[in-house]
Amino acid sequence: MTNRQKKINALLQQDLAEILHLFLRKENIQNLIVSVTAVRVTPDLQIAKVYLSVFPFSDADRILGLMKEQCGSIKASLANRIRNQLRIVPSLLF
């Protein structure tokens, strides 16, 4: 993994954590902790795999399904935040 990939991973992880926090608040989901544990981008920076940790675990499938449904709006929010750092926003896989 190159240094550029590591920097982009860290940038995406931080921004996605903030976006998901706001998203869960907007959806009025309470008593749930969702953490972005890691982000891995491909060498061509086209795809980002986002690893999440959900507590309690019993709600993990529901939250993962919600993230996949709202992937477009999450990507748009991410694009808004990182438009000065990256030219192309990677596709998100949760």
Side-chain angles (χ1 to χ4, degrees):
M1 183 177 299
T2 64
N3 281 336
R4 177 156 172 78
Q5 282 179 291
K6 290 177 185 176
K7 288 179 184 178
I8 291 172
N9 287 339
L11 174 72
L12 293 178
Q13 183 175 359
Q14 181 181 5
D15 285 338
L16 281 171
E18 293 173 10
I19 290 168
L20 293 182
H21 175 74
L22 294 173
F23 172 73
L24 292 175
R25 181 179 278 171
K26 184 182 83 174
E27 293 289 323
N28 201 18
I29 297 174
Q30 298 175 350
N31 299 331
L32 189 69
I33 299 172
V34 178
S35 303
V36 179
T37 56
V39 176
R40 301 284 182 253
V41 293
T42 56
D44 62 356
L45 307 178
Q46 295 293 316
I47 300 172
K49 290 184 181 179
V50 181
Y51 298 92
L52 301 175
S53 173
V54 180
F55 182 81
F57 183 73
S58 58
D59 294 334
D61 290 333
R62 179 174 65 100
I63 294 300
L64 190 59
L66 238 142
M67 296 298 159
K68 287 180 181 177
E69 286 176 13
Q70 298 296 322
C71 190
S73 64
I74 293 171
K75 183 178 176 179
S77 297
L78 181 64
N80 221 8
R81 286 177 176 249
I82 64 170
R83 67 177 174 246
N84 295 330
Q85 286 98 1
L86 289 176
R87 190 176 347 158
I88 298 173
V89 179
S91 298
L92 303 174
L93 296 177
F94 292 99

